[in-house]
Amino acid sequence: MPYEVSVAGIYLPGALVVLVLLLPVFGLLDFAFGRVGLYRRALHPSLLRVALFASVYCAALLLLLPHFS
């Protein structure tokens, strides 16, 4: 993954670009989990949402890391 990406002359971390690209993916997963009723069965639904987002984000970073190093 590139360490820095230039967007309109402003250097942003490469991980931030991945974060922005994964927001729609997280939104779809969040909607699907809510539709299935997984959040109703969870003890702490907001904690489950944070764990889902962290898992998706870390998995994407780990998958992209070998391609850019």
Side-chain angles (χ1 to χ4, degrees):
M1 163 177 346
Y3 294 111
E4 294 176 343
V5 177
S6 177
V7 177
I10 300 171
Y11 287 102
L12 300 173
L16 182 66
V17 175
V18 174
L19 175 93
V20 170
L21 293 176
L22 282 177
L23 284 177
V25 174
F26 171 70
L28 288 173
L29 282 173
D30 187 47
F31 176 75
F33 281 10
R35 194 82 163 143
V36 170
L38 186 66
Y39 291 132
R40 284 182 284 164
R41 294 184 183 100
L43 185 60
H44 296 285
S46 57
L47 185 61
L48 182 60
R49 279 191 169 113
V50 170
L52 173 67
F53 177 73
S55 299
V56 169
Y57 184 60
C58 290
L61 288 178
L62 287 173
L63 287 173
L64 290 174
L65 186 64
H67 297 287
F68 294 106
S69 46

